[in-house]
Amino acid sequence: MRSGKMAPAGGCGAVRGLWVPLAVLAFARAALALTEQYPALSLLKQELHRQRQGPAGGCASAGEWAEQYSAESDSSFLHFHESDCDTGGSSSCESVLSLNTEKILSQAKLLAEQKRFPFATDNDNTNEELAIAYVLIGNGLYDEAIRHFSTMLQEEPELVSAIYGRGIAYGKKGLHDMKNAELALFEFSRVISLEPDHPEVFEQRAEILSPLGRISEALSDLTKAIELQPSARLYRHRGTLYFISEDYATAHEDFQHSLELNKNQPIAMLYKGLTFFHRGLLKEAIESFKEALKQKADFIDAYKSLGQAYRELGNFDAATESFQKALLLNQNHVQTLQLKGMMLYHHGSLDEALKNFKRCLQLEPYNEVCQYMKGLSHVAMGQFYEGIKAQTKVMLNDPLPGQKATPEYLKVKYLREYSRYLHAHLDTPLTEYNIDIDLPGNFKDHWAKNLPFLIENYEEQPGLQPHIKDVLFQNFESYKPDVQELICVADHLGSMMQYETPGFLPNKRIHRAMGLATLEVMQAVQRTWANSKVRMNGKTRLMQWRDMFDIAVKWRRIADPDQPVLWLDQMPARSLSRGFNNHINLIRGQVINMRYLEYFEKILHFIKDRILVYHGANNPKGLLEVREALEKVHKVEDLLPIMKFNSKTRDGFTVNTKVPSLKDQGKEYDGFTITITGDKVGNILFSVETQTTEERTQLYHAEIDALYKDLTAKGKILILSAELGEVDAVCNLILSLVYYFYNLMPLSRGSSVIAYSVIMGALMASGKEVSGKIPKGKLVDFEAMTAPGSEAFSKIARSWMNLKSISPSYKSLPSVSETFPTLRTMIEVLNTDSSHCLKKTIVVV
């Protein structure tokens, strides 16, 4: 990573942060959308709630999060005095099933005598009248209750209990009607003006404000309530609102305060874990979820969240166990089925994933995520008829006016068009067509940028052709022994590419695909060095560097058809002239991207160096002050005060890295751009971006062309004379070539694993085999992007590759391109179970 210029940031750019697939926000909103689940405000619900409690005062178990939230021991936001109600038979404890006047009056009398309603007066008659209205609320007779309170208020306009009760009744009528919401808010505000020292009124008003989206006002009310009388419930309630607002650090503080006041709160503990999860602090999240399960052993959402945290950590076995425990508690828990299915898909276990999506859809036929993933799983396995049928169902779910389209709805048309294209080419030799050329430019551009499918004059791909059959399942045993060996070797090679870093779940399908890519690259490069020509895109010619990468690209594409793996320089000229950005958020707000944590310190040191250079040139008088401030910088957030030392960097700055040329000594190319913006901790954007323009692409291509030419020449010499010096030079050329590929980032997706499979395959062609795994926490693409030059990258990579002489048995493996010449044969081999590969010794290892 070479120093470049620093300039004021022109804005944050596109924000694509760490996606956390928990649907927690939806849960939180459901819990707080109190249109139908207003907290227990009535005698009836109070008593029913008391009946649910065990002898030790513990809370009853409930199915879903929202029910748990409103049923938890201290979750009633309106405090009635406790009664001595005996669950054995007292009439006041019975559910009010009939609406006869006598029973209502009887309950009201008891309620009035015990003054178990808010703002009771000293007048017994008034209390009886108020109690009648509160019992009416408990019976769901909200309009009758409102009329009763209104009659009393005509005689006594400032009767606080009646104003308050009328507000409750308006709220319970339903906040979907804004009139009810506004009237409820008006009544609670009147109560506050008359009785400003009652925390429950502020809390009640917050309960109306939050589902209306007026979160800041709700937070203000809850803060006032806490100032008046702090409680575990109030802190938890406010923490939930901060959570919805994505202020996870502040939410964490509130949940912590809540737990200090009442440690036995599984939901507060769950939410504490979720505040860690959303900030990328996965290990801390896992500990909190485990603690929630100690408090509540049958807590499905804690198991589900634990499973998702392990999945994000890359621990497949632990995630599977947690999801399984959630489903043992409730086999019909849709969210767990959905999340488990998605994990299985991204683990490469498509058949198992499909079972979960089908079960999910039996329970929830309109679940778009499960429907989309069902279609995707079918297509990935070559079952195009079922796949496209499922995709079409997602397409029919048009969003309502004003409603935001789901990610699945936005993606599904691209998937359907791509599925049709793949099906049409199932049996065409792979050497005779090219996806990058065949697919329309605007289609590729929109797909890679994840834009809505609004493409002018787009001509749809032809529908499925009946004479082309779906891909059939192929037994591993049906392959010849040498092909079986080829598959087992590929599985092993692919596993060598796995990152041991949070966020990277092992994917056995990707492993096999890229292992086969490695072997095919090895065989193609060996043929090229022996002067053989290759068949690519319908033409027979000498292999070029792009052909070598295209071998890996085709395998990566077919392993997961959901992801557009496309060459950016093949995009429409207009798109490329504007620049095609590969954008990675390292920190966005409070969310830390754990994948890149290992590189924060390295990038921070680079930024500090550039700040000194910048201030030396633009602010020499303040340089000493800046230097002293930089000595105290240990994390990215510490840079915020330093940004204010210069008016041009007050709102942020960018730092550009440079990549030195090997072809033209002294020349440098643009690397990637580091951007920092923000004004306070929690409101920071720390990101890196590679901008692929036509001019930049041509410069990198010229560098790669020169290296490939040199590599081919030295490779041909190597074939004739396997001298150690020649082998070493070839290894360095391979790593240097891929160094520029990584810094160019020429693909829309998958550049990292594609490039590493080319490294491994080309090294094998030179007679060297990678026997070492990528170190924990290391990412090969970031090693290349942050290295000061190609030589430094080669040295770093070779330090862990542990290169050794290749086994002669590789020569006896069949040709990958001849064994799997079509998409159909590629999909067949990726679908094939080879679990018994683990039970036998792989000859070449």
Side-chain angles (χ1 to χ4, degrees), residues 39 120 129 174 205 235 273 314 397 400 403 419 525 537 613 681-682 710 776 814 824:
E129 288 297 322
R205 189 166 69 176
Y235 276 118
N397 291 339
L400 299 169
Q403 187 181 21
S419 301
V525 170
N537 304 330
V613 173
V681 174
D710 200 6
K776 193 171 184 178
R824 182 184 297 279

Side-chain angles (χ1 to χ4, degrees), residues 2 660-669 703 740 790-791:
R2 290 281 292 267
S661 169
L662 278 177
K663 184 170 67 74
D664 301 312
Q665 290 298 317
K667 191 174 180 181
E668 292 181 326
Y669 308 130
E703 193 79 28
Y740 290 102
S790 59
E791 288 181 15

Side-chain angles (χ1 to χ4, degrees), residues 236-255:
R236 189 185 66 235
H237 186 190
R238 190 175 69 174
T240 308
L241 291 189
Y242 277 125
F243 184 90
I244 289 173
S245 306
E246 298 185 26
D247 187 350
Y248 303 119
T250 310
H252 174 267
E253 289 176 15
D254 272 359
F255 292 127

